[in-house]
Amino acid sequence: AWFLLRNPWKGDALLITSLLLLSGTYDNVLVGWGAEIGEGDVLTAMSKVRWFVHWALVPFLLVVCLRLGRNASLPLSSRLLVMPLAYVLSLVLAVIDVWEGFMPPGLELEPVTFAGTLRLVSVDEALPIITILVNIVVLVVYGRLWRKTGEYWPFLGSLAAFIGNAIPSSVAGTLPGATGEALLFLGTLTSTYIYPADVKPAEETPLLA
């Protein structure tokens, strides 16, 4: 709250990343306690919340990475209307993800066990195209951020998330993906705090200049 009050113009990146970190924590707790909760309506309801939050929040990583790029005066991120367009695109992608996940006949889940854990996964688990595309954009922007500012934690975190999520959960469970996402969110939060409170927003340049 203190940081948001002192930095209202860049507080959206902090807020979204914090929500993503909390959602990842909820996901890990659910996986850890799934076997204790057991199959049934409770675990099903909690798992549907997990999927909804994931699909609704992940596209907004576009806003986060572009905000950090804007704070660091990266050329593309400083263009006029880039941030409003990032919000609109993130919202559209989130709606598509949620709709495709919950559209009739609804989200159907099946139990999967691994190393003593129990979790519910989607029966029709298609390739997460939107998540992959968002991760690629984040990886590119954070790579540019590292090159310009020397801040490498966001890039290394995004790389860890990309690699971790590429490892099938049937091979190594959810640990690689969960660890990679935690490193991504923590690296992003670290980068957000690095910028001093008196830094001014980057001067906007025309979108097509």
Side-chain angles (χ1 to χ4, degrees), residues 54-55 58-59 61-62 93 97 126-140 158 161-163 165-166 181:
H54 176 81
W55 288 328
V58 166
L61 277 170
L62 294 175
L93 293 177
D97 248 359
L127 190 66
I129 299 297
I130 291 178
T131 299
I132 292 173
L133 292 177
V134 169
N135 284 340
I136 291 174
V137 173
V138 171
L139 195 63
V140 171
S158 62
F162 189 80
I163 295 174
N165 285 319
E181 289 178 356

Side-chain angles (χ1 to χ4, degrees), residues 14-38:
L14 174 62
L15 177 61
I16 294 170
T17 308
S18 298
L19 290 174
L20 283 164
L21 187 58
L22 288 174
S23 70
T25 302
Y26 173 80
D27 190 7
N28 292 329
V29 170
L30 190 58
V31 171
W33 283 87
E36 300 295 329
I37 298 172

Side-chain angles (χ1 to χ4, degrees), residues 16-155:
I16 294 170
T17 308
S18 298
L19 290 174
L20 283 164
L21 187 58
L22 288 174
S23 70
T25 302
Y26 173 80
D27 190 7
N28 292 329
V29 170
L30 190 58
V31 171
W33 283 87
E36 300 295 329
I37 298 172
E39 294 184 47
D41 293 340
V42 174
L43 185 60
T44 298
M46 295 178 70
S47 297
K48 287 184 177 181
V49 170
R50 166 207 166 203
W51 283 102
F52 174 83
V53 172
H54 176 81
W55 288 328
L57 285 182
V58 166
F60 284 90
L61 277 170
L62 294 175
V63 172
V64 173
C65 71
L66 290 174
R67 175 64 71 189
L68 292 184
R70 182 177 176 78
N71 293 348
S73 298
L74 294 184
L76 178 60
S77 301
S78 301
R79 300 282 182 175
L80 186 65
L81 298 180
V82 163
M83 292 311 302
L85 288 175
Y87 268 105
V88 171
L89 180 58
S90 298
L91 181 60
V92 170
L93 293 177
V95 170
I96 292 174
D97 248 359
V98 172
W99 172 253
E100 288 185 345
F102 286 91
M103 65 183 295
L107 178 62
E108 298 182 19
L109 302 173
E110 64 179 358
V112 172
T113 57
F114 184 88
T117 63
L118 170 66
R119 61 193 178 95
L120 300 182
V121 301
S122 175
V123 173
D124 184 24
E125 193 168 3
L127 190 66
I129 299 297
I130 291 178
T131 299
I132 292 173
L133 292 177
V134 169
N135 284 340
I136 291 174
V137 173
V138 171
L139 195 63
V140 171
V141 174
Y142 281 171
R144 297 285 302 276
L145 185 70
W146 181 10
R147 183 176 180 182
K148 179 177 177 62
T149 69
E151 301 296 340
Y152 52 84
W153 282 115
F155 174 79

